[in-house]
Amino acid sequence: QGRPVESGGGLVPPGASLRLSCEFSRRDVHIIATGWHRQAPGKERELIASITRGGSATYAPFVEGRFTISRDTAKKVTYLHLTNLTPDDTAVYYCSARDYYGLDFWGNGTRVTVSS
């Protein structure tokens, strides 16, 4: 596909966990890093975490250990494991992939709703 494809979102109760997946398998693009972002209703999009091709991960301060980014290089899939979800985590979660030239490819997002 020409852009990353996210999956794994849904409606979950507070305290639940989810694993989001991002697949980007274009062979003509050399990806050096992928990232997860989210945009809550009425708010700007924010970076959650990113991971380099070599596996080095960085996180936004608000994550506070609840989310983990990882990747399966062979499958060209990046994951975001969300734990202890709260209603404040309700958002559309987007995946991005950056190529060697600094060009970012964006997915269409997957919606996560945390509600009892």
Side-chain angles (χ1 to χ4, degrees):
Q1 64 276 13
R3 58 179 13 181
V5 178
E6 303 95 335
S7 61
L11 172 62
V12 296
S17 298
L18 279 175
R19 190 182 74 166
L20 308 182
S21 300
C22 170
E23 183 174 0
F24 187 49
S25 58
R26 279 183 60 172
R27 296 185 178 184
D28 61 329
V29 178
H30 180 69
I31 298 300
I32 62 171
T34 55
W36 281 99
H37 314 251
R38 69 182 185 182
Q39 186 167 16
K43 296 186 178 181
E44 294 189 354
R45 188 174 301 187
E46 59 183 353
L47 174 66
I48 300 169
S50 62
I51 187 167
T52 67
R53 186 178 181 87
S56 178
T58 58
Y59 296 90
F62 71 82
V63 170
E64 297 181 334
R66 294 190 301 126
F67 303 163
T68 303
I69 190 170
S70 62
R71 65 172 296 171
D72 184 325
T73 302
K75 295 181 179 179
K76 296 187 177 181
V77 178
T78 301
Y79 302 100
L80 184 67
H81 189 205
L82 312 173
T83 64
N84 195 22
L85 287 163
T86 75
D88 287 342
D89 296 314
T90 294
V92 178
Y93 285 69
Y94 297 92
C95 174
S96 68
R98 175 163 293 180
D99 75 0
Y100 178 81
Y101 300 99
L103 181 65
D104 290 326
F105 298 82
W106 288 88
N108 290 324
T110 184
R111 185 176 300 275
V112 173
T113 303
V114 184
S115 175
S116 56

